[in-house]
Amino acid sequence: MKGNRSKSFNAANFAGDSASALLVGKSRASGQLPKITAAEQRVLALVARARSNKEIASDLGISPATVKRHMEKILKKL
């Protein structure tokens, strides 16, 4: 069971790293893609751990509406 938790943690880190890595490349229009903010990265890391918006909001001390807005911005950037 300990191995599963470690694997899950590594998958969450990988998901966050992968999303950030996607934003390092070049865009045809502006030369660079927008970067994910620190707040968006925190939300994304918890999403990668299959947390609900309500759980993420509670963990980060923000409203569920703010979590939703961060996700909208992340998806738009991707």
Side-chain angles (χ1 to χ4, degrees):
M1 182 153 183
K2 186 176 180 182
N4 288 341
R5 183 166 48 160
S6 177
K7 184 176 180 182
S8 174
F9 177 75
N10 289 335
N13 288 338
F14 177 75
D17 292 344
S18 296
S20 296
L22 287 173
L23 298 177
V24 174
K26 300 258 180 193
S27 168
R28 286 178 274 174
S30 66
Q32 289 187 340
L33 293 173
K35 296 190 183 212
I36 294 177
T37 66
E40 292 165 349
Q41 288 177 11
R42 288 189 294 269
V43 169
L44 189 56
L46 293 170
V47 167
R49 294 182 180 149
R51 305 292 301 266
S52 70
N53 285 3
K54 189 174 180 179
E55 292 170 328
I56 294 168
S58 176
D59 287 353
L60 298 178
I62 59 178
S63 75
T66 302
V67 173
K68 182 178 177 181
R69 183 67 181 140
H70 284 312
M71 285 306 303
E72 288 170 354
K73 288 180 179 182
I74 291 166
L75 293 172
K76 184 178 178 181
K77 290 174 183 182
L78 292 174

